[in-house]
Amino acid sequence: MDRRTFLKASGATALVARGGMAWAQSASGALRLIPMTDLTNGIEERIALTLNPSTHDFGNGAQSATFGINNNYLGPVLKVKQGQTLPFDVVNNIGDTSTLHWHGLHIPGDVDGGPHQEIAHGSVWSPDVPIVQHASMNWFHSHMHGKTARQTYQGLAGVLLVEDDGSLSADLPQTYGVDDFTLILQDKMFDAEGRMSYNVSAAVFEDGFEGDTLIVNGTIAPVAQAVPTGLVRLRILNACNARFLGLSMETGPMTVIASDGGFLPAPVEAESILMSPGERYEVLVDMSALEANALNVNLNGNGGGFFANLFGGNQTVTALRLARTAQTGFTGSMPTRLANLSPAQPSEATVTRSFELNMNVGADLAALALAWDNFCGDAGAMAINGLPMKMDRIDETVRKGDTEIWRISVDDQLHPFHIHGCSFRILSQNGGPAPAYAQGWKDMVHVEDGWSEVLVRFDHDAPSDAPYMYHCHILEHEDCGMMGQFTVS
Ligand code: C2O
Ligand code: CU
Ligand code: CU
């Protein structure tokens, strides 16, 4: 029996023990608006972000032990503007070493917040983060080597909205909490007392941790929100550790206006959108002709793997119900043009690199992976191009300003691949074209069969003591060694 077969067999035992467990969508509350700090009009002082232990009620009455960033659970929504430099003071009070990575930002390696910029408990990290990119929805989360999954699950994640002159004056809904909402989607497990739990067995580690309960902004779904008539904007982040989510609207197609790295050239209509962990999409919902609508999430987004079924996949859960009030909100109409974005030009590439994401690395490498501080629970190690992550090994050396093609394949399973320090364009995904809504600026691409290829250019420095990462964004896979590092100069 090889390792995979063994894990599937041991998983089968768990399936019997757990029976057809239903999703625990029991509570039903109001959408929690994440506190938003709008800095687009100017930054007067340093921006303090404090990582702290706390407790939080997810809506089931129990107090769960959590981490938060200036909050009990999760961080704030920060709204900033292109051209600003963000003077952060990141204070770590969680009782363990951590880091805070700015996922999606085009910034130099030494302020990127990756695993090399450790913040010891009780100390402060003060990067000055220059925002040069255009309007885009980004986020921040722990990136502590070997502990990213646990710390992020515990609550060390928040949203960073970059605006620019164009987006601030665009005819789009942008009144936060009225016609413009930020939604952080996650899945959780809760113990018998209703407290958030995180137990990773070898089998769970193999697929990444998947919870049986969908939460929205830290509240068990479904949640409800009253909205004015007119267009409503939803800026959505999949902050699950491992679960792919299939999003759809109850009443018809979704209108997608932006992906990870910015606006699409024009709105794209899609029956549903597949969101991997780490991805962001913005959608517009037209509430002028409807009294009610709902955002639904199919939890079997990864296509029905063995563990998806085990943990309540193949089900659709309502995440957010929208109920229209008599108030008039955003009165503009559905935009027809959003951004100038020409088709990706693969002919501009001068370098091609290939990456294979490895689930099956063998016992010798597994021991090495642990020696290199990767964390795999009881599972075997994972790797990229045959090597698990090692903090003092640089895997790739990139020349600043070169246009490159990165080709990614896997030896098993479906994986969401992420690259630091850039936005890229997807040339192909799983050997075919990406859906129209994923053809704009991205920093996530997923791959299961064949090659996924992206066109990418790096414009900032990442020296060997502060390299960028590329990795699987199933956080348990990242922690277990499915990550590599590269310099840019
Ligand atoms: Cu969102 Cu290297 O991560
Ligand atoms: Cu990142
Ligand atoms: Cu993976």
Side-chain angles (χ1 to χ4, degrees):
M1 212 187 261
D2 68 18
R3 191 179 69 119
R4 298 285 305 157
T5 315
F6 169 75
L7 286 166
K8 288 194 186 204
S10 56
T13 317
L15 178 64
V16 174
R18 298 175 65 96
M21 185 170 137
W23 275 67
Q25 308 299 150
S26 50
S28 183
L31 173 68
R32 193 171 72 99
L33 290 181
I34 299 177
M36 193 269 282
T37 306
D38 187 349
L39 297 165
T40 55
N41 289 319
I43 301 171
E44 250 106 73
E45 47 193 30
R46 297 197 70 80
I47 307 161
L49 291 178
T50 304
L51 283 44
N52 53 268
S54 191
T55 58
H56 174 73
D57 179 357
F58 284 91
N60 58 9
Q63 289 297 324
S64 291
T66 52
F67 291 151
I69 305 175
N70 297 359
N71 293 319
N72 292 337
Y73 178 69
L74 300 174
V77 172
L78 301 176
K79 193 187 266 203
V80 305
K81 196 177 162 189
Q82 183 183 41
Q84 292 180 320
T85 294
L86 312 179
F88 285 116
D89 282 339
V90 183
V91 183
N92 177 8
N93 284 331
I94 66 166
D96 195 1
T97 311
S98 193
T99 82
L100 201 62
H101 164 59
W102 319 105
H103 178 135
L105 293 192
H106 308 181
I107 52 177
D110 60 352
V111 293
D112 188 50
H116 291 268
Q117 282 108 50
E118 287 188 358
I119 316 168
H121 169 72
S123 65
V124 186
W125 178 54
S126 300
D128 290 314
V129 176
I131 304 297
V132 297
Q133 70 209 81
H134 51 224
S136 47
M137 179 179 185
N138 305 282
W139 64 302
F140 45 95
H141 60 79
S142 162
H143 217 303
M144 183 61 206
H145 184 41
K147 295 182 178 174
T148 296
R150 186 172 289 271
Q151 291 187 356
T152 303
Y153 183 82
Q154 200 87 2
L156 296 187
V159 165
L160 196 153
L161 304 176
V162 172
E163 301 287 351
D164 58 25
D165 283 327
S167 72
L168 288 171
S169 60
D171 202 15
L172 288 171
Q174 42 191 319
T175 309
Y176 188 78
V178 175
D179 54 26
D180 181 1
F181 299 92
T182 294
L183 304 179
I184 302 181
L185 306 180
Q186 296 174 296
D187 56 345
K188 298 291 181 194
M189 288 295 254
F190 293 96
D191 67 15
E193 281 74 50
R195 292 172 309 220
M196 180 176 79
S197 61
Y198 182 75
N199 297 314
V200 280
S201 65
V204 168
F205 223 90
E206 282 275 308
D207 266 16
F209 180 89
E210 294 191 325
D212 68 356
T213 304
L214 181 73
I215 66 163
V216 182
N217 293 358
T219 304
I220 295 173
V223 290
Q225 175 65 43
V227 291
T229 183
L231 292 182
V232 172
R233 180 178 186 175
L234 305 178
R235 311 195 199 207
I236 308 170
L237 161 67
N238 179 347
C240 294
N241 275 25
R243 191 182 280 282
F244 283 65
L245 303 172
L247 272 54
S248 59
M249 296 305 299
E250 193 173 70
T251 61
M254 304 191 92
T255 306
V256 186
I257 60 168
S259 58
D260 304 338
F263 287 109
L264 294 165
V268 168
E269 295 227 320
E271 279 312 311
S272 64
I273 55 181
L274 177 61
M275 275 188 99
S276 77
E279 276 190 298
R280 292 87 67 206
Y281 284 107
E282 290 189 33
V283 302
L284 289 181
V285 183
D286 189 348
M287 293 298 286
S288 51
L290 295 167
E291 269 166 24
N293 207 337
L295 173 68
N296 293 328
V297 175
N298 184 281
L299 303 160
N300 197 21
N302 55 358
F306 183 86
F307 291 98
N309 296 328
L310 177 58
F311 289 105
N314 207 12
Q315 288 191 43
T316 297
V317 172
T318 296
L320 172 68
R321 294 186 207 288
L322 299 173
R324 193 183 66 184
T325 66
Q327 270 173 308
T328 304
F330 174 79
T331 52
S333 51
M334 195 61 86
T336 51
R337 284 214 44 78
L338 294 160
N340 291 322
L341 189 62
S342 36
Q345 299 294 342
S347 58
E348 288 171 6
T350 53
V351 179
T352 300
R353 298 173 202 270
S354 300
F355 301 89
E356 188 190 41
L357 311 185
N358 311 118
M359 297 288 290
N360 305 307
V361 300
D364 293 353
L365 264 186
L368 261 188
L370 297 184
W372 295 341
D373 291 327
N374 294 287
F375 176 74
C376 302
D378 296 323
M382 299 175 197
I384 297 180
N385 288 345
L387 287 174
M389 165 72 182
K390 186 165 190 268
M391 286 287 280
D392 59 7
R393 185 192 67 234
I394 299 296
D395 299 283
E396 303 287 335
T397 306
V398 171
R399 223 171 60 188
K400 188 158 70 173
D402 278 357
T403 298
E404 306 201 346
I405 291 175
W406 286 28
R407 321 173 69 217
I408 307 112
S409 66
V410 302
D411 67 7
D412 203 0
Q413 285 199 5
L414 166 67
H415 304 263
F417 187 78
H418 169 54
I419 311 175
H420 286 210
C422 67
S423 297
F424 55 65
R425 303 288 295 278
I426 299 179
L427 300 174
S428 67
Q429 187 162 263
N430 285 334
Y437 60 77
Q439 291 186 10
W441 291 113
K442 297 281 298 155
D443 52 58
M444 301 287 323
V445 63
H446 53 260
V447 56
E448 182 168 28
D449 300 307
W451 292 97
S452 287
E453 298 183 312
V454 304
L455 188 70
V456 64
R457 194 185 71 214
F458 301 93
D459 292 328
H460 302 277
D461 288 297
S464 58
D465 60 349
Y468 289 136
M469 305 292 132
Y470 52 86
H471 57 91
C472 176
H473 220 286
I474 290 177
L475 298 182
E476 287 76 16
H477 291 181
E478 174 196 326
D479 280 343
C480 189
M482 197 178 280
M483 178 154 73
Q485 337 191 66
F486 64 105
T487 57
V488 177
S489 61

